[in-house]
Amino acid sequence: MKYFAKSTFAAALLIAAFVTCAQAADGKTRVLLTFGGHGFEQEPFFAMFDGMKDIEYTKAPMPESADLLKPGLEKDYDVIVMYDMVGGITPEQQKAFVALLNKGIGLVSLHHNMGAHRNWDEFRKITGGKFIFEPAEIEGQQYPKSGWAHGQDMKVTVTDAEHPITKGVKDFEIHDETYNNYYTAADAKVLLKTEHPKNDPELAWVKDYGKSRVFYLMLGHDGVAYANKSFVRILHQGICWTAGK
């Protein structure tokens, strides 16, 4: 499986080279990339972003970097890509993050970020999703514990082929981790679905929070997923869209 990831990774990066964000003054879309609280294959993950030549990213380990998520960040960055799964941040940091999103900055929430900030209810309103660690009631509906399964082959259906995030992407297959019994907001516009029995149907969606565009993508567990050309293209176009480009 590792050999497959290495041998196909160049193809995934090639896709990123052909799909570019509308150019900013300096030719780059500026991304703050959060991680922490969950292990991942760092080398191929960061290499994927290195292959997006129109994107300039800064690594922001969490929760150490949580103080950055406040008004003013929108002047230095166009998009926050969240790949962390931290247990939580302080109430003051939560308030500052909401204030930032009310100013307006792109937000991409990726894969296990659905399980971050598990005791901060506002975060599910921000991203439109929540991985549930204990049975809970959300908006009047009872949810059991969410589940996951590694190493699954999923067929992915594009439900809106005209959206800028999925433009040019056809239905595809991916080897990835599945999640099930998670919460998806009723107002989320779903872009990708699956019929995999170990996954909920909704795989990706967009919504607004404050003045910010928000994109959630459930895919992206490991190097095999990072090497999938459709995954890379969707993630890249999601960054462009949330940045307003």
Side-chain angles (χ1 to χ4, degrees), residues 160-181:
D160 185 352
E162 296 304 314
H163 194 279
I165 292 177
T166 47
K167 192 79 171 179
V169 179
K170 296 182 179 180
D171 296 352
F172 62 97
E173 294 187 11
I174 190 168
H175 187 83
D176 210 335
E177 183 179 43
T178 56
Y179 291 165
N180 61 10
N181 297 325

Side-chain angles (χ1 to χ4, degrees), residues 2-31:
K2 290 182 179 178
Y3 174 78
F4 174 82
K6 290 179 180 178
S7 65
T8 58
F9 197 73
L13 297 185
L14 185 62
I15 293 296
F18 284 102
V19 184
T20 59
C21 297
Q23 295 299 297
D26 62 356
K28 301 284 186 180
T29 297
R30 303 162 301 171
V31 171

Side-chain angles (χ1 to χ4, degrees), residues 117-233:
H117 309 283
R118 64 185 66 180
N119 296 318
W120 183 29
D121 195 51
E122 192 66 21
F123 192 65
R124 71 164 175 86
K125 299 176 183 178
I126 292 171
T127 64
K130 183 178 179 65
F131 190 94
I132 300 165
F133 290 92
E134 297 296 337
E137 180 179 321
I138 302 176
E139 297 180 355
Q141 182 175 340
Q142 296 292 331
Y143 288 83
K145 289 175 63 174
S146 299
W148 70 91
H150 295 304
Q152 302 294 307
D153 292 312
M154 277 192 286
K155 292 182 178 180
V156 179
T157 301
V158 177
T159 59
D160 185 352
E162 296 304 314
H163 194 279
I165 292 177
T166 47
K167 192 79 171 179
V169 179
K170 296 182 179 180
D171 296 352
F172 62 97
E173 294 187 11
I174 190 168
H175 187 83
D176 210 335
E177 183 179 43
T178 56
Y179 291 165
N180 61 10
N181 297 325
Y182 52 83
Y183 162 84
T184 301
D187 64 346
K189 177 177 175 54
V190 177
L191 303 181
L192 301 175
K193 282 191 172 184
T194 186
E195 295 181 356
H196 195 285
K198 294 185 177 180
N199 208 97
D200 285 4
E202 301 85 2
L203 284 176
W205 56 79
V206 293
K207 65 186 298 294
D208 295 324
Y209 184 90
K211 294 184 178 179
S212 296
R213 287 180 171 184
V214 178
F215 170 51
Y216 176 74
L217 178 59
M218 198 227 79
L219 305 172
H221 176 67
D222 59 17
V224 180
Y226 312 150
N228 185 291
K229 63 182 182 180
S230 296
F231 169 78
V232 176
R233 181 166 184 162

Side-chain angles (χ1 to χ4, degrees), residues 76-90:
D76 298 321
Y77 293 93
D78 304 301
V79 179
I80 305 167
V81 176
M82 306 193 80
Y83 196 57
D84 67 87
M85 201 177 86
V86 294
I89 55 179
T90 69

Side-chain angles (χ1 to χ4, degrees), residues 35-55:
F35 59 96
H38 191 289
F40 65 101
E41 296 179 11
Q42 295 196 20
E43 184 177 353
F45 180 75
F46 293 123
M48 175 176 61
F49 283 90
D50 291 336
M52 300 177 187
K53 299 304 183 182
D54 56 343
I55 287 173

